[in-house]
Amino acid sequence: MVTAGYIERSVTVNGLKLAYQEWGSPSAPPIVMLHGFGVSGHMFDEFAERMQDRYRLLALDQRGHGDSDWSEEGDYSRDAFVEDLEGFRKALGLERFILIGHSMGGLNAVAYVNRYPGHATALVLVDVGPEAAKEGVDNIVRFTRGPDELEFEEFVQLAHRFNPRRTLENIRERMRHRLKPTEGGKWTWKFDRRFRQPESGLIVGSQLSTDELWQQFRNITIPTLLVRGAESDVLSREVAERCVQEMPAARLVTIPGAGHSVPGDNPDAFTEAVATFLAEVESGQFPPPQASSPPLDQLAEQHVRGARRGPGLAALALAGAAAVLAVAGIGYLVRKESARRRRRSSGPRRALEAARQAPVLPQAVDLDLARERAAEALARLAEVSANSAKRARRRLDEVDLSAARAAAADVLAALGQTGKQAPALVRETAHLVESRARRRKSLPRTGLDAALRSLLPGRRKRRRSGLLAALRG
């Protein structure tokens, strides 16, 4: 049972009387709460009751809802809601405050933070995102466009069928704030009756595209908590997870046993989630500081342990570099066959001399550079495999061996751990080049396979066979 620990107040903003409920001490940090479509500020009663000893809570009845005035012009645009909130802030003298918004109120809160940055210190969005599931929205529309006048208990039963998570006692308490008596002795909704008339032509909210809404969420840099009901049919888990990933400082909390109306469906869990979030914000612990990069020697040690466990990124990159060297060498043979016949004696000596003069590769480990160079090497392999054998051989004709050796040496240098084996690998490649130089004819396919097998490291034949197949295209 919800207790009446609040004071009903009102303020005039933009020519409309806006009602609101106030909880807690006027000297406490303020929280402004915006309800969803068709309800009122009283949807936060359970939450406000639990937080009133720590905060000043202000639950606004937005225009056309609860005890606030309806717009004679039928202006329920998002701009109108945002300007109402800014006028409310000024009227109460709130310079800095925490902002909570549910559903429609959440979208209004997002728009407000985009238009008036600097006033909200933290944001709590309740079961709302840049996209809403059509089924859930249709369910809300059908409920709010139901019978216009009923007996009070008939409305209670109607609401209980719509949300069976609540007890009848809880729903009766809620409906006392959502209904008003008619002159005929029945009851009707407090919100603007034109919301229930499809032919009224009212537009509630904004006409922004989905992409524009996503961008508004991304623009929010203040600490943000996104709360989703585990059983919500409005905000999907996928949209919620993507939302917090794309927002600069956001966290997702899923409340069990709650649908779209999270604060009333499971008020204890909702309150705990919000209270924890606000405590972290106030203590400077949210968003959590980014983990600092480990020292270079620690990265090197981790790299060593990874290499001992077996083939990983380094092994694949080394295999890629070796394969590039082999392919480049064979292409070099094909392209320079006639020249090699004339310089059979000088060619091998130059290759061996280049191998002997190859600098000792550094042992320092730069993981980012390693990843980048490994990706480049593997991308080159993929490019070769995507072409037919004929096109691949034509491409090999254009490969410069010295450039390929330099690129592969860069990759091996970045990997660090393989530095000790790198000179031997380069010399082995040079030996392969000069041995093949002695042949007068082009290498057959079996020769290509043998050359690649001689350079590809690792113990698993299946992995080497896969690389061979990829290179052959």
Side-chain angles (χ1 to χ4, degrees), residues 398-410:
E398 301 170 0
V399 175
D400 183 72
L401 179 60
S402 60
R405 179 186 291 116
D410 286 345

Side-chain angles (χ1 to χ4, degrees), residues 317-326 328 354-355 357-364 366 369-370 373-374 376-377 380 400-427 429:
L318 179 58
V324 169
L325 278 172
Q357 295 177 1
V360 177
L361 298 177
Q363 297 298 313
D366 186 334
L369 180 60
R373 295 304 177 89
E376 291 176 0
R380 293 176 65 180
D400 183 72
L401 179 60
S402 60
R405 179 186 291 116
D410 286 345
V411 175
L412 297 174
L415 288 173
Q417 275 302 310
T418 59
K420 295 181 179 180
Q421 291 82 15
L425 178 61
V426 175
R427 284 193 291 270
T429 303

Side-chain angles (χ1 to χ4, degrees), residues 94-414:
L94 305 175
E95 185 59 30
R96 307 273 284 173
F97 59 93
I98 298 160
L99 184 56
I100 299 178
H102 168 257
S103 195
M104 178 193 75
L107 294 176
N108 295 342
V110 168
Y112 178 84
V113 172
N114 273 261
R115 183 173 301 178
Y116 294 105
H119 295 300
T121 58
L123 180 64
V124 178
L125 300 175
V126 186
D127 216 64
V128 63
E131 299 179 39
K134 184 178 183 301
E135 179 183 358
V137 174
D138 289 345
N139 288 337
I140 295 173
V141 171
R142 281 193 295 268
F143 177 67
T144 56
R145 289 182 177 174
D148 191 65
E149 292 186 10
L150 290 173
E151 296 292 339
F152 186 85
E153 281 300 318
E154 290 177 318
F155 272 117
V156 170
Q157 294 298 327
L158 183 68
H160 189 253
R161 288 195 295 272
F162 177 73
N163 187 0
R165 301 175 190 87
R166 307 284 189 95
T167 65
L168 288 173
E169 181 184 9
N170 179 274
I171 290 178
R172 287 190 186 95
E173 183 67 26
R174 301 274 63 78
M175 298 305 284
R176 289 191 182 98
H177 300 298
R178 298 181 64 180
L179 300 173
K180 60 183 179 182
T182 66
E183 294 180 356
K186 292 189 176 183
W187 294 75
T188 189
W189 299 105
K190 284 185 176 182
F191 60 81
D192 194 330
R193 67 170 59 91
R194 288 172 291 182
F195 293 156
R196 304 191 292 277
Q197 300 168 356
E199 67 280 2
S200 66
L202 288 183
I203 297 177
V204 180
S206 72
Q207 299 299 302
L208 295 179
S209 67
T210 301
D211 289 342
E212 290 171 326
L213 280 175
W214 273 104
Q215 189 56 50
Q216 281 200 340
F217 276 73
R218 296 187 194 103
N219 292 341
I220 298 173
T221 58
I222 60 175
T224 301
L225 178 68
L226 177 57
V227 182
R228 176 181 177 269
E231 301 170 15
S232 173
D233 59 356
V234 174
L235 178 63
S236 70
R237 178 177 58 83
E238 292 76 16
V239 170
E241 291 176 349
R242 176 188 166 189
C243 194
V244 296
Q245 289 171 358
E246 299 193 11
M247 295 179 70
R251 171 192 298 166
L252 172 64
V253 173
T254 301
I255 303 300
H260 184 54
S261 301
V262 186
D265 288 353
N266 191 343
D268 289 333
F270 175 77
T271 302
E272 181 181 359
V274 175
T276 300
F277 166 71
L278 295 180
E280 291 182 9
V281 171
E282 292 165 5
S283 63
Q285 299 178 24
F286 187 93
Q290 293 184 351
S292 59
S293 299
L296 187 60
D297 55 348
Q298 183 178 342
L299 286 175
E301 179 62 25
Q302 292 174 354
H303 192 58
V304 171
R305 289 197 299 267
R308 290 171 180 170
R309 284 194 297 267
L313 176 62
L316 286 176
L318 179 58
V324 169
L325 278 172
V327 172
I330 295 168
Y332 180 82
L333 291 173
V334 174
R335 184 165 58 87
K336 300 293 184 179
E337 182 178 0
S338 60
R340 286 197 304 272
R341 291 175 182 175
R342 295 191 298 269
R343 298 192 298 270
R344 291 176 60 186
S345 60
S346 60
R349 283 195 299 272
R350 282 198 299 272
L352 285 174
E353 185 64 23
R356 293 190 189 99
Q357 295 177 1
V360 177
L361 298 177
Q363 297 298 313
V365 178
D366 186 334
L367 293 183
D368 289 337
L369 180 60
R371 295 188 184 99
E372 180 181 348
R373 295 304 177 89
E376 291 176 0
L378 294 177
R380 293 176 65 180
L381 291 176
E383 183 180 4
V384 173
S385 67
N387 297 318
S388 64
K390 182 177 180 179
R391 292 181 180 178
R393 283 188 168 82
R394 190 184 306 122
R395 181 176 295 274
L396 293 179
D397 262 354
E398 301 170 0
V399 175
D400 183 72
L401 179 60
S402 60
R405 179 186 291 116
D410 286 345
V411 175
L412 297 174

